[in-house]
Amino acid sequence: MITSTAIAHPNIALIKYWGKRDISLNLPSVPSLSLTLSQFYTQTTVVWGAKQDQLILNGERIRSLEAQKVFQFLDIIDGSRPPCKVISENNFPTAAGLASSASAFAALALAGTSAADKDYSLQALSVLARQGSGSACRSLWGGWVEWLHGDKENGSDSHGIPLAPPEHWDIRLIVGVVSDQKKPISSRKAMKHTANTSPFFQAWCDTAQEDLDIARLAVLNKDIQTLGEQMEHSTMKMFSTMFSAKPSIHYWKPQTLKILEIVETLRQKNISCWATMDAGPNVKILCSPEHSHMIVEAIKPHCLKTHVLSAGPDAKLI
Ligand code: DP6
């Protein structure tokens, strides 16, 4: 019996992943680019050899589909594994407006392979984490991370690669939580539905590499304006595929639009800030550290909660 514990941080995509070219392997239709976040993390312990498969999430025994996903994931590491116990805790509330599946599967990949006594390269860990949740393949690294589209059918070349470490650029991402309700449709289902029915989906795929190339250069040059504009462009194109799906998918709330309007108004006053959203109504605002306080004050009346986050570190075994 080996026990291993790992920590991984969530990430927010600046150039979005939306759509899969292979559903079972979580191979993306587009490349993406993200920022790994500080402060918040998932800590996961895997006990390789237990009486039965058992998942404890934030102190509670889980027996649902979520548990099945976790144990199927461990099967990828070793198809003839013993029963395992997995204990996972998020230090951030599930309603923090951040997807926890990215940090969860990155931490599980690290702790699981170590508990199984298998030696994986970081790249192989990223390929593995991707199979749990696509965005998890970016959470193995801190700072700025790309997820390569790849070409191979088995997905071995579709994984994260670090673009720049967290200390490369001191930046803030403000999360404005406008709703703590469960999302009406999972991102997994929504991606499939959009890919199948939106007439804009092909255009989304055709233009993603260019978005990524521009954003990559902006990160390397620490050019917040180009990065912010490109992030908003990628975000709005992603949502356009949802709006134009049949029937259409809506994740936004009135407060989402209100905050977008505030961000635009602040920009007119020369405050550099740009917004993005994921499969939900919560808004994330990219800005310089010196503007974060003012932005929080401006959006606060429309939020249940706000969090000011910076670039976070690599996932690690502890
Ligand atoms: C909108 O990684 O949660 O946040 O691969 O089905 O687990 P699965 O999806 P997931 O999707 C994230 C979508 C997004 C954009 C992004 O993070 O790039």
Side-chain angles (χ1 to χ4, degrees):
M1 184 182 86
I2 308 182
T3 299
S4 290
T5 301
I7 279 186
H9 296 257
N11 70 74
I12 294 294
L14 310 178
I15 299 299
K16 303 292 183 180
Y17 148 53
W18 192 254
K20 304 180 199 232
R21 66 178 197 278
D22 183 311
I23 290 179
S24 61
L25 287 173
N26 275 344
L27 293 178
S29 303
V30 291
S32 54
L33 189 155
S34 61
L35 178 65
T36 297
L37 301 174
S38 59
Q39 290 104 321
F40 291 153
Y41 60 83
T42 301
Q43 176 167 328
T44 299
T45 297
V46 176
V47 183
W48 201 262
K51 278 206 195 97
Q52 51 173 316
D53 278 349
Q54 200 183 347
L55 171 65
I56 315 280
L57 190 54
N58 297 325
E60 234 179 83
R61 174 91 192 257
I62 308 284
R63 297 170 198 271
S64 59
L65 206 70
E66 223 173 333
Q68 223 176 12
K69 267 189 78 180
V70 164
F71 294 110
Q72 279 168 358
F73 183 81
L74 296 183
D75 291 341
I76 307 174
I77 299 173
D78 182 350
S80 51
R81 64 172 177 84
C84 295
K85 185 170 177 182
V86 176
I87 306 150
S88 193
E89 306 257 343
N90 291 325
N91 82 333
F92 54 104
T94 10
L98 296 166
S100 51
S101 67
S103 49
F105 279 100
L108 186 64
L110 252 180
T113 49
S114 160
D117 203 17
K118 304 235 173 179
D119 202 13
Y120 275 56
S121 66
L122 267 176
Q123 190 171 306
L125 277 172
S126 177
V127 166
L128 174 65
R130 187 204 72 222
Q131 293 170 73
S133 180
S135 51
C137 78
R138 301 183 304 232
S139 269
L140 267 315
W141 292 273
W144 311 84
V145 183
E146 268 185 66
W147 172 8
L148 304 177
H149 175 279
D151 294 318
K152 293 190 181 154
E153 263 179 43
N154 69 3
S156 60
D157 58 351
S158 182
H159 50 76
I161 49 160
L163 174 62
E167 56 278 10
H168 165 69
W169 190 6
D170 191 20
I171 203 113
R172 296 292 177 272
L173 204 98
I174 299 169
V175 182
V177 181
V178 303
S179 166
D180 53 10
Q181 304 294 304
K182 198 173 173 283
K183 53 180 115 169
I185 170 169
S186 72
S187 46
R188 199 158 284 203
K189 277 197 186 141
M191 280 183 201
K192 193 172 170 200
H193 177 67
T194 1
N196 287 341
T197 63
S198 167
F200 299 163
F201 190 76
Q202 193 54 49
W204 160 250
C205 297
D206 292 346
T207 55
Q209 185 63 53
E210 190 187 340
D211 292 345
L212 193 123
D213 292 342
I214 295 170
R216 182 199 300 114
L217 205 63
V219 169
L220 294 175
N221 292 335
K222 302 183 201 171
D223 173 354
I224 193 169
Q225 169 145 2
T226 304
L227 181 62
E229 285 173 3
Q230 211 56 35
M231 176 183 84
E232 281 198 355
H233 185 53
S234 171
T235 305
M236 293 308 167
K237 276 196 291 188
M238 176 181 80
F239 280 103
S240 303
T241 69
M242 299 184 216
F243 295 148
S244 56
K246 198 176 173 192
S248 112
I249 295 169
H250 302 119
Y251 283 116
W252 296 0
K253 300 272 183 215
Q255 299 93 309
T256 312
L257 278 169
K258 184 69 209 169
I259 296 172
L260 288 180
E261 195 186 314
I262 292 172
V263 165
E264 222 174 298
T265 310
L266 286 170
R267 271 208 306 266
Q268 282 159 7
K269 294 181 185 156
N270 285 329
I271 312 286
S272 302
C273 56
W274 288 269
T276 186
M277 288 76 62
D278 291 290
N282 301 315
V283 186
K284 291 107 189 185
I285 302 172
L286 184 76
C287 65
S288 306
E290 67 268 24
H291 292 143
S292 63
H293 181 70
M294 182 188 296
I295 297 166
V296 166
E297 288 306 309
I299 65 167
K300 229 179 187 170
H302 309 283
C303 298
L304 300 175
K305 233 183 152 89
T306 53
H307 305 277
V308 181
L309 306 170
S310 41
D314 294 349
K316 61 172 190 288
L317 283 168
I318 56 168

